[in-house]
């Protein structure tokens, strides 16, 4: 039996244990909500409602191999554990990580019942919760509930300290943290977290959504296309047989959701998602906090910016190579003095995609696409104090300003997800070219289709990178083994 087959069996065992726990919890909850019968205390004492735990014991008898990949490797011998939720959703990821580790290291892998209980909100659907004639506080008297004190990013942020002789974390996120974010994703984006694809585009204008929907609907009917559905905010799923698909998407109740998501899916979950995060670093942090648990392959910001150089023209592109972080939303967990390095594979893919889509290269492309520092600010009206900003703009050699891309990239760095940003100049406030309604419409009509297409082609190129995409510069010296 191959290592991948063994890994798949282990994941199947995790899934069976998880289903037993959630089935038992759901059954007990329904009995309580319908008849007021509390669960047998023995069920909790015996951890019947607990997440399954994946445990790897690494005790090498020989020197560890020298590996080029950035993940599925150990920093020190010891016992590594993680609680697991939704093994069905993470089956491919878990199988890949386990197969790589078992192929290259001397390990013993076991599955057991953890001490971490599954909070009751994660096993009830909305209809069941709404129909219950009992308060959440009353349910929490008898059943495990969400305790925020036990949910955090200490492992990702390097704040976790290994107990003497204790187990080390196997992954960045445990079951509690993951379930918390899966629920939030559905709330914010209006589409199931299960539909999110591993290649993620972010935008800050709805017109990019319209263009993405047009592209996706054309792909669904294109002969030989790898895509099979378009899952949209508001619960609408488009297939190649959907009549008037663009109208169906437009009529969906997407406006109920703060950051609408649109997922162009493939049968093997290697598709492309676009999320309209709106304007501002707070939204950018919020959505990436939750998307990170899905362990995406890459995320990119495809949005607008203000050009800071006289030589730029509205409609030009800015390929962010460095960031001046005036967004402030991450200062406590990732101080601004921590450098956010460009990811070479992403930068090259963005450059190459721009060449492919525009048909330009060399000096012709350089005239339209400039690489440099982008300022990300949390002040939408920074122009009203531009004299205070001018010195920082000059010192940083900034060429553009926006409100999201440094946050997106810093979150990618923080959560070990390859990141990048390609922005389009929509105005030049320092040079008297402000965004007026007529000018804005002409700019949108001319630039958005091409800009989005560059993002799509970039993701096509990044798929071809495979393991090379996950740079070691995103990993610290003492990392959890799983990517």
């Amino acid at each position: 039996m191959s290592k991948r087959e063994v890994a798949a069996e282990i994941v199947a065992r995790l899934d069976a244990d998880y289903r037993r726990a959630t089935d038992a919890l759901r059954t007990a909850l329904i009995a309580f909500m319908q008849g007021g019968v509390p669960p047998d205390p023995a069920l909790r004492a015996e951890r019947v409602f607990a997440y399954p735990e994946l445990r790897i014991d690494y005790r090498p008898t020989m020197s560890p191999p020298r590996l080029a990949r950035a993940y599925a490797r150990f920093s020190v011998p010891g016992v590594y554990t993680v609680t697991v939720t939704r093994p069905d959703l993470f089956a491919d990821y878990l199988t890949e990580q386990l197969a790589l580790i078992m192929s290259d290291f001397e390990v013993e892998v076991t599955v057991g019942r953890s001490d971490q209980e599954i909070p009751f909100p994660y096993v009830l659907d909305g209809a069941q919760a709404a129909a219950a004639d009992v308060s959440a506080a009353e349910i929490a008297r008898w059943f495990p509930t969400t305790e925020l004190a036990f949910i955090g990013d200490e492992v990702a942020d390097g704040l976790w300290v290994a107990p003497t002789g204790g187990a080390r974390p196997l992954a960045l996120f445990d079951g509690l943290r993951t379930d918390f974010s899966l629920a939030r994703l559905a709330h914010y984006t209006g589409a199931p977290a299960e539909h999110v694809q591993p290649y993620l585009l972010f935008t800050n204008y709805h017109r990019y959504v319209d263009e993405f929907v047009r592209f996706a609907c054309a792909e669904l009917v294109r002969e030989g296309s790898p895509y099979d559905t378009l899952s949209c905010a508001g619960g609408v799923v488009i297939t190649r047989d959907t009549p008037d698909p663009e109208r169906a998407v437009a009529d969906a109740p997407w406006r109920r959701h703060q950051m609408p998501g649109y997922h162009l899916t493939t049968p093997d979950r290697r598709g492309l998602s676009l999320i309209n995060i709106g304007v501002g670093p707070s939204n950018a942090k919020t959505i990436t906090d939750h998307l990170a648990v899905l362990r995406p392959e890459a995320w990119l910001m495809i949005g607008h910016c203000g050009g800071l150089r006289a030589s730029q023209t509205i409609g030009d592109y800015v390929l962010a190579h460095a960031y001046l972080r005036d967004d402030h939303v991450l200062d406590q967990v990732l101080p601004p003095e921590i450098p956010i390095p460009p990811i070479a594979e992403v930068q090259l893919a963005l450059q190459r995609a721009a060449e492919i889509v525009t048909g330009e290269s060399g000096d012709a492309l350089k005239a339209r696409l400039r690489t440099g520092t982008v300022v990300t600010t949390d002040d939408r009206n920074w122009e009203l104090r531009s004299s205070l900003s001018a010195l920082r703009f000059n010192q940083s050699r900034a060429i553009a300003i926006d409100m999201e891309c440094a946050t997106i990239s810093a979150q990618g760095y923080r959560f070990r997800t390859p990141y990048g940003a390609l922005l389009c100049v929509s105005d030049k406030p320092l040079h008297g070219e402000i965004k007026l309604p007529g000018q804005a419409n002409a700019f949108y009509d001319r630039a958005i289709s091409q800009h989005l297409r560059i993002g799509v082609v970039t993701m096509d190129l990044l798929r071809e990178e495979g393991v090379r995409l996950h740079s070691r510069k995103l990993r610290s010296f003492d990392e959890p083994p799983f990517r």
Side-chain angles (χ1 to χ4, degrees):
M1 185 180 293
S2 70
K3 296 297 185 184
R4 188 167 186 85
E5 290 171 327
V6 174
E9 285 193 354
I10 293 170
V11 174
R13 206 177 316 149
L14 283 167
D15 188 54
D17 286 358
Y18 174 77
R19 290 179 186 277
R20 275 194 292 270
T22 53
D23 287 347
L25 179 54
R26 190 178 297 109
T27 299
L29 277 165
I30 292 173
F32 178 74
M33 291 187 297
Q34 291 179 347
V37 180
D40 184 345
L43 294 177
R44 297 192 67 178
E46 296 169 7
R47 298 172 294 158
V48 171
F49 302 152
Y51 289 104
E53 180 180 81
L54 181 61
R55 181 185 184 96
I56 296 182
D57 195 348
Y58 171 51
R59 309 286 184 185
T61 60
M62 60 186 71
S63 298
R66 290 179 60 87
L67 301 172
R69 68 173 181 263
Y71 56 86
R73 53 192 299 162
F74 295 98
S75 54
V76 296
V79 175
Y80 295 78
T81 66
V82 68
T83 55
V84 178
T85 189
R86 296 295 308 277
D88 60 326
L89 177 59
F90 294 97
D92 290 343
Y93 166 79
L94 293 168
T95 301
E96 177 196 52
Q97 302 301 301
L98 282 169
L100 290 171
I101 283 175
M102 291 190 296
S103 296
D104 293 323
F105 296 91
E106 303 171 72
V107 295
E108 179 182 349
V109 183
T110 56
V111 172
R113 189 176 291 174
S114 75
D115 293 325
Q116 196 178 79
E117 291 185 298
I118 303 170
F120 76 84
Y122 302 142
V123 302
L124 290 179
D125 62 33
Q128 288 173 318
D133 189 22
V134 59
S135 69
E138 181 64 17
I139 298 174
R141 289 183 58 200
W142 305 100
F143 294 90
T145 189
T146 304
E147 296 284 353
L148 296 181
F150 300 133
I151 302 175
D153 288 323
E154 288 80 6
V155 176
D157 292 332
L159 301 176
W160 181 85
V161 179
T164 303
R168 304 171 68 85
L170 182 58
L172 292 176
F173 305 109
D174 62 10
L176 282 172
R177 172 66 167 83
T178 301
D179 267 336
F180 178 78
S181 284
L182 293 179
R184 288 293 177 93
L185 282 173
H187 170 74
Y188 284 121
T189 69
E194 295 86 344
H195 294 181
V196 176
Q197 300 298 290
Y199 296 90
L200 288 157
L201 295 175
F202 301 112
T203 189
N204 48 11
Y205 287 96
H206 190 78
R207 289 178 186 248
Y208 281 82
V209 173
D210 294 338
E211 192 60 38
F212 184 77
V213 169
R214 279 192 287 271
F215 163 76
C217 291
E219 275 294 300
L220 290 178
V221 298
R222 180 176 66 84
E223 191 67 31
S225 173
Y227 302 108
D228 59 353
T229 72
L230 174 65
S231 174
C232 308
V236 170
V237 177
I238 305 299
T239 70
R240 65 183 305 155
D241 300 319
T242 302
D244 198 0
E246 291 183 41
R247 171 55 59 186
V249 175
D251 290 344
W254 57 268
R255 292 174 182 83
R256 299 176 183 173
H257 305 285
Q258 184 176 347
M259 290 178 271
Y262 300 82
H263 312 296
L264 187 54
T265 71
T266 62
D268 60 354
R269 293 199 77 252
R270 302 286 291 173
L272 179 66
S273 290
L274 175 78
I275 299 177
N276 179 10
I277 64 174
V279 176
S282 180
N283 276 4
K285 178 184 182 298
T286 296
I287 199 65
T288 47
D289 277 341
H290 300 309
L291 288 166
V293 305
L294 294 173
R295 307 315 298 138
E297 298 287 347
W299 59 43
L300 305 177
M301 184 67 198
I302 305 293
H304 293 173
C305 66
L308 298 178
R309 300 300 179 93
S311 58
Q312 291 170 306
T313 300
I314 291 177
D316 284 354
Y317 296 117
V318 172
L319 176 53
H321 184 78
Y323 306 95
L324 179 59
R325 292 173 53 205
D326 280 344
D327 52 339
H328 303 300
V329 295
L330 289 169
D331 287 1
Q332 292 187 356
V333 294
L334 192 66
E337 63 267 21
I338 302 300
I340 307 300
I343 306 300
E345 292 79 6
V346 176
Q347 300 296 98
L348 291 172
L350 281 164
Q351 176 88 17
R352 177 59 183 146
E355 294 175 349
I356 293 170
V357 174
T358 66
E360 299 172 344
S361 60
D363 290 341
L365 183 60
K366 286 182 180 179
R368 294 191 56 206
L369 188 152
R370 186 161 181 174
T371 300
T373 298
V374 175
V375 181
T376 292
T377 179
D378 59 357
D379 181 2
R380 180 58 190 88
N381 295 316
W382 66 269
E383 297 97 330
L384 301 181
R385 56 182 183 88
S386 61
S387 59
L388 298 177
S389 303
L391 178 61
R392 283 173 64 74
F393 291 172
N394 279 328
Q395 289 177 328
S396 65
R397 309 300 191 263
I399 63 172
I401 184 168
D402 87 327
M403 298 188 68
E404 299 88 24
C405 79
T407 312
I408 293 291
S409 294
Q411 285 281 80
Y413 177 84
R414 182 180 171 217
F415 293 129
R416 290 75 161 170
T417 298
Y419 51 83
L422 182 72
L423 306 177
C424 196
V425 176
S426 60
D427 59 341
K428 296 169 59 183
L430 296 182
H431 307 283
E433 296 186 50
I434 62 175
K435 196 185 298 181
L436 300 175
Q439 292 173 325
N441 287 335
F443 159 72
Y444 292 140
D445 291 341
R446 182 175 65 251
I448 286 177
S449 178
Q450 185 182 82
H451 192 192
L452 177 73
R453 184 63 182 164
I454 292 173
V456 170
V457 173
T458 299
M459 290 307 199
D460 291 340
L461 296 173
L462 292 180
R463 280 192 197 91
E464 299 173 3
E465 288 290 330
V467 297
R468 296 189 301 272
L469 176 58
H470 297 278
S471 172
R472 281 180 285 183
K473 70 179 67 172
L474 294 180
R475 310 280 288 184
S476 72
F477 59 86
D478 188 17
E479 284 282 300
F482 280 12
R483 176 175 70 77

